[in-house]
């Protein structure tokens, strides 16, 4: 309903549990571009909806353990990168840093504006040396 009313510019959904047995057309919404990353195994899956009047395109993002969708959008003549991610709980914490950090470093060469959104299944309290 939130998309049908066009009340958001962008919506990122994680853990969609969708795979290639579901046709993309089944989830498309008028007025939005939709980008999907099918689940791996029994968990995961990502979908990003972004209003079709916002200039955008998908950028290839190579990650092995972390599911990602990377978009480049144009806002007021500025490039903004949007990284939607899902890290399965079974993936070691170090994989998150190993795979996302180089990706973010690469993006930072092209834009000062990056938004990272997702389900990282990362306990920041337990992994923070300041709280240990």
């Amino acid at each position: 309903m939130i998309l049908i009313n066009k009340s958001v510019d962008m919506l990122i959904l994680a853990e969609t549990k969708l795979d290639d047995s579901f046709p993309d057309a089944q989830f498309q919404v008028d007025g939005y571009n939709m980008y999907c990353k099918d689940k791996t195994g029994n968990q995961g899956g990502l979908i990003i909806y972004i209003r079709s009047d916002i200039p955008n395109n998908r950028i290839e993002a190579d990650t092995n353990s972390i599911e990602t969708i990377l978009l480049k959008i144009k806002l007021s003549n500025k490039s903004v990168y949007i990284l939607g991610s899902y890290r399965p709980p079974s993936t070691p914490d170090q994989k998150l840093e190993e795979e996302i950090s180089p990706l973010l470093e690469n993006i930072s060469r092209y834009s000062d504006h990056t938004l990272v959104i997702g389900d990282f299944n990362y306990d920041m309290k337990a992994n923070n040396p300041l709280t240990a």
Side-chain angles (χ1 to χ4, degrees):
M1 192 56 117
I2 194 169
L3 293 176
I4 294 169
N5 293 334
K6 298 195 179 18
S7 56
V8 297
D9 297 329
M10 180 177 55
L11 179 67
I12 299 176
L13 303 172
E15 293 197 69
T16 62
K17 310 274 195 275
L18 300 178
D19 59 24
D20 60 4
S21 68
F22 297 92
D24 287 351
Q26 182 176 352
F27 300 99
Q28 295 199 334
V29 177
D30 288 340
Y32 288 88
N33 293 335
M34 182 186 77
Y35 300 95
C36 297
K37 177 77 173 187
D38 289 340
K39 71 176 184 156
T40 55
N42 295 326
Q43 54 196 5
L46 287 169
I47 294 179
I48 296 181
Y49 291 96
I50 185 161
R51 272 194 2 230
S52 56
D53 63 333
I54 298 173
N56 66 85
N57 62 302
R58 187 173 186 165
I59 308 292
E60 191 62 39
D62 292 327
T63 55
N64 295 318
S65 305
I66 312 299
E67 295 175 11
T68 58
I69 298 175
L70 178 61
L71 300 181
K72 177 182 176 183
I73 65 173
K74 282 285 195 179
L75 296 175
S76 303
N77 293 323
K78 292 185 181 182
S79 293
V80 178
Y81 288 83
I82 310 292
L83 179 64
S85 298
Y86 172 73
R87 176 186 153 259
S90 59
T91 302
D93 290 348
Q94 71 188 51
K95 285 290 187 187
L96 179 63
E97 185 174 335
E98 287 173 8
E99 293 186 20
I100 297 296
S101 291
L103 187 57
L104 293 175
E105 286 175 24
N106 191 28
I107 293 168
S108 70
R109 291 188 280 181
Y110 302 102
S111 177
D112 292 331
H113 310 285
T114 305
L115 183 61
V116 181
I117 302 170
D119 181 353
F120 299 102
N121 286 301
Y122 187 83
D123 186 349
M124 292 182 71
K125 204 171 188 181
N127 294 302
N128 185 344
L130 298 176
T131 60

